[in-house]
Amino acid sequence: MSSLKEQKELFVSNLLGGTILEIYNVTAVSLSAYLSYNLISAYSGYNITFPVDFVLNCMTILLSITLYSNSTNTLHFLILAPGILAAISGSWGQKDRKKSKSKIPRDANGARKQLLVKKPFITAYRSHMLVITNFAILAVDFKMFPRRFAKVETWGTSLMDLGVGSFVFSMGLATSRAIIKQRFDSSKSTDYRFKLSQYGSLIMKNTIKSLPVLALGLIRLVSVKALEYQEHVTEYGIHWNFFITLGLLPIFFAIIDPILNFVPRFIVALVICIGYELIMVNTELMAFILRSDNRMDTLVTMNKEGIFSFIGYFSIFIFGQSFGSFVLTGFKTPNNLFSMCSYQRYKKAGAKPGIFTVTTTQGLVIATFFTHALFWYVQEAYFVSSISRRLANLPYVLWVVSYNSLFLLGYNVIESVIAKPGASESKILDAFNNNGLLSFLLGNLFTGLINMTINTLSCNAPVTFAILVTYGLILSTIAVLLDRYHIYIKL
C-alpha cells in the first residue's frame, strides 16, 4: 500500500482540467460579489460590517469552488439578489440627495494633478485574486475541491493554472506604479541613455529587494524536503518553486530595463513569449522539458519546468506592467496605451496627446478585444502548441493576459456605473491588497500546517467546509488587524 504522501501526490497528478468557459463563469463570482457589495453600499445606506463583508467577498468565492461548483449560475443569482433589492428599495429614498463631487485640483489643461490615485476597482481585482488563490491552495488537497479546478499535468486549462499566471500579472501591474511615478516626476531627467553605473545600481537594487522572496523559496525547499511534504515534481521541478519564480522576476526586469526605456512593454512581452514558443516548437526544447527519463541527469533537468516556464511568466509580468500606464493613472497621458509618459512630454504634448491616448476604460476595452482576438487566433493556429501552464507557453501567456484584461474591465465598469463618492469600501479587500504578500505567505504556511496535522483525503464535505471557512476567517482577521495597525508587506 502506498504511503499517505504518495496518495496525496497522486491526488494532484495526471489531471486534465476543465473548460475555459466554466473557469470564466466560476471566477466571475468575484465580479458578482463586487457588484452586489457596491449596490448595497450605494443604495442601502447600510454600513457594511465585517461579517457581511466576509460573506460577500470571501465566502462567495469559497462557495464557487466547493459547494456551488456545479451550480455556479445559481450562486450568481444568490449573490446579486441582495444588491438588486437594495438598489430597488433605496433608489427612491435617494432621489433628492445631491450627488457629491470630489474637488480635484486641475492644471492649465484641465487634467487632474493626481497622477496615481487610489482606484477601488484595482483593489477589488487584486484582493479577490488573492482570496481565491489562498482558498485554492488549501482546498485542492481535499476531495471536496473538483479535480477539474486543480493544476493540469501538461496540456489543458484549470482554475489553478490561471491563478498562478494571474498572480504574476497582478504583480507586474502593481510594480508599474513606482515606474510611472518615477517617469512623471518633473524633477527627474528624461535622458534615458544607457549608463553603466545606473544600470548596475538598478540590478543590485532589485536583487536586494528580491532576496526576502528568494529566501522564502529556499526555506520552502528545505522544509518540504525535511518534513517529507508531498511534492508535484512536474510542476516546477525538484528544487524550484513559485517563490523562486517571483523572486527572480524583478532581477530579470532590471536586466532588460534599457530595452524597456525605448520599446513599449507590450511589444517586448509579445516578442519574449512568441520567441520562446518558436524555439520550443522548432527545436527539441519542448521534448526535453516534457521527457521524464532525463530528470536526474543534471541540476537543469531536475528543475527544467521551473527554469523554462520562467520565460513565460516573465512575459506575463511585463504584460502586467504594460497595463499600468492606462489602468493606474488618474488622467490621460500621451500615448498611454503603449508607453509610460514623462512630465516634460506630457506638458509638451498639450492639446495634442496622440492617437494612442486613452482613458482607463477605453484602454481596457481595446486591450481586451485585442488580446482575446490574438489568443483565439493562436489557439487555432497549427504552428503553436496547446495551452500548457507547465511550459508557460504562448497560448498560456495570452490566455492569462486576455483573462485579466477582461476582468479588470469588468471591475472598472462596475465601479464607474455603480460606485458612488463616499460609499464604504471593503475593509477586507483593502487589507488583502495592502498585505498581499503576507496573506499569500500565511496561506502557504497554514496550508502546510493543516496538511501535516490531518489527513485531508479522509475529510468529508462538512468537515472540509468548516476547515476552509475557519482558514479564510483567520486570514481575513489577521489581514484586517495588520491593516488597522498600518503593518504592510506589499507585493
Side-chain angles (χ1 to χ4, degrees):
M1 180 179 292
S2 58
S3 66
L4 179 59
K5 176 186 175 183
E6 291 172 335
Q7 291 178 40
K8 288 187 174 183
E9 289 174 350
L10 184 62
F11 189 58
V12 294
S13 301
N14 303 313
L15 301 176
L16 302 176
T19 66
I20 291 177
L21 184 61
E22 183 188 26
I23 295 167
Y24 274 56
N25 193 27
V26 169
T27 54
V29 165
S30 62
L31 288 174
S32 293
Y34 185 57
L35 175 57
S36 190
Y37 184 97
N38 276 279
L39 286 171
I40 294 171
S41 178
Y43 291 97
S44 70
Y46 172 68
N47 187 21
I48 297 178
T49 60
F50 179 87
V52 176
D53 194 356
F54 178 73
V55 169
L56 277 174
N57 289 305
C58 297
M59 282 292 294
T60 53
I61 291 175
L62 175 59
L63 288 169
S64 72
I65 61 175
T66 53
L67 295 177
Y68 282 84
S69 60
N70 294 319
S71 51
T72 310
N73 291 334
T74 302
L75 182 59
H76 280 291
F77 172 77
L78 293 174
I79 295 169
L80 290 172
I84 294 172
L85 290 174
I88 293 172
S89 61
S91 58
W92 289 289
Q94 294 189 358
K95 285 182 178 179
D96 298 327
R97 188 177 297 176
K98 294 182 179 180
K99 293 182 179 180
S100 60
K101 294 184 179 180
S102 56
K103 295 181 179 180
I104 301 175
R106 297 172 180 269
D107 64 12
N109 295 322
R112 295 185 177 101
K113 286 186 178 180
Q114 290 92 336
L115 176 67
L116 294 168
V117 295
K118 181 180 179 180
K119 296 186 176 183
F121 85 89
I122 299 176
T123 297
Y125 154 76
R126 296 187 70 237
S127 298
H128 277 149
M129 183 269 298
L130 285 165
V131 169
I132 195 169
T133 298
N134 279 332
F135 274 131
I137 59 177
L138 174 59
V140 70
D141 295 317
F142 292 88
K143 290 183 177 179
M144 190 181 194
F145 187 80
R147 292 301 88 193
R148 64 185 184 278
F149 290 170
K151 291 177 182 177
V152 302
E153 188 67 24
T154 302
W155 309 109
T157 56
S158 75
L159 184 146
M160 291 192 72
D161 287 326
L162 181 63
V164 289
S166 297
F167 196 99
V168 172
F169 181 93
S170 174
M171 183 178 174
L173 179 64
T175 58
S176 68
R177 185 179 182 89
I179 302 169
I180 294 168
K181 184 177 181 180
Q182 182 183 26
R183 287 286 185 90
F184 206 77
D185 190 340
S186 58
S187 66
K188 301 287 184 181
S189 170
T190 57
D191 182 9
Y192 297 119
R193 288 177 296 181
F194 179 80
K195 296 178 181 178
L196 186 60
S197 59
Q198 292 181 359
Y199 180 59
S201 176
L202 178 63
I203 294 176
M204 182 60 67
K205 179 181 177 181
N206 282 21
T207 301
I208 293 173
K209 283 184 177 180
S210 295
L211 287 179
V213 180
L214 291 173
L216 289 171
L218 181 60
I219 292 171
R220 188 184 189 283
L221 168 64
V222 173
S223 60
V224 165
K225 301 299 182 184
L227 298 173
E228 294 188 352
Y229 192 77
Q230 65 264 22
E231 298 178 83
H232 191 191
V233 175
T234 58
E235 188 174 348
Y236 295 105
I238 294 177
H239 308 104
W240 201 284
N241 56 61
F242 190 51
F243 287 108
I244 295 176
T245 295
L246 293 180
L248 290 177
L249 288 170
I251 299 174
F252 278 79
F253 159 70
I255 291 173
I256 69 166
D257 181 68
I259 298 174
L260 298 175
N261 284 328
F262 299 100
V263 182
R265 281 168 164 75
F266 191 91
I267 302 299
V268 173
L270 205 55
V271 168
I272 291 173
C273 60
I274 291 176
Y276 174 47
E277 181 71 21
L278 290 175
I279 292 173
M280 277 200 297
V281 298
N282 290 293
T283 67
E284 296 297 317
L285 179 59
M286 186 185 300
F288 170 80
I289 298 172
L290 299 180
R291 281 172 53 194
S292 59
D293 59 349
N294 63 354
R295 173 67 66 186
M296 304 305 295
D297 289 355
T298 65
L299 190 61
V300 172
T301 57
M302 289 179 186
N303 301 284
K304 52 189 178 177
E305 289 88 356
I307 293 171
F308 291 102
S309 68
F310 177 81
I311 301 171
Y313 286 121
F314 186 53
S315 66
I316 292 173
F317 180 78
I318 301 299
F319 271 121
Q321 283 192 340
S322 73
F323 276 64
S325 58
F326 59 86
V327 169
L328 299 182
T329 53
F331 60 88
K332 296 187 292 185
T333 57
N335 298 315
N336 60 339
L337 185 62
F338 290 109
S339 63
M340 298 177 183
C341 182
S342 67
Y343 182 77
Q344 288 84 350
R345 181 177 156 200
Y346 166 71
K347 297 297 289 184
K348 185 178 180 180
K352 298 179 180 180
I355 61 173
F356 295 113
T357 301
V358 295
T359 63
T360 295
T361 304
Q362 290 170 344
L364 286 172
V365 168
I366 294 170
T368 297
F369 274 105
F370 178 78
T371 54
H372 272 86
L374 189 58
F375 167 59
W376 291 116
Y377 169 76
V378 167
Q379 274 289 88
E380 298 299 321
Y382 70 91
F383 52 86
V384 298
S385 51
S386 300
I387 296 175
S388 173
R389 183 267 320 151
R390 181 178 175 183
L391 298 171
N393 58 358
L394 177 62
Y396 173 76
V397 170
L398 294 177
W399 178 43
V400 169
V401 175
S402 60
Y403 167 88
N404 280 273
S405 180
L406 175 63
F407 272 63
L408 275 169
L409 176 61
Y411 281 104
N412 173 244
V413 170
I414 291 171
E415 180 184 300
S416 301
V417 175
I418 304 299
K420 292 186 176 182
S424 63
E425 296 178 14
S426 166
K427 288 183 172 59
I428 290 178
L429 295 185
D430 271 343
F432 274 119
N433 183 58
N434 292 332
N435 289 285
L437 179 58
L438 181 59
S439 68
F440 183 61
L441 292 177
L442 289 175
N444 277 271
L445 177 61
F446 289 150
T447 295
L449 289 175
I450 291 170
N451 268 277
M452 295 297 294
T453 304
I454 64 174
N455 179 5
T456 56
L457 298 182
S458 65
C459 293
N460 58 28
V463 172
T464 297
F465 195 72
I467 291 172
L468 290 172
V469 171
T470 304
Y471 162 80
L473 189 58
I474 291 173
L475 283 178
S476 299
T477 302
I478 292 174
V480 170
L481 286 175
L482 290 174
D483 193 49
R484 180 178 298 175
Y485 291 103
H486 308 291
I487 301 172
Y488 305 128
I489 302 177
K490 294 184 178 292
L491 285 170

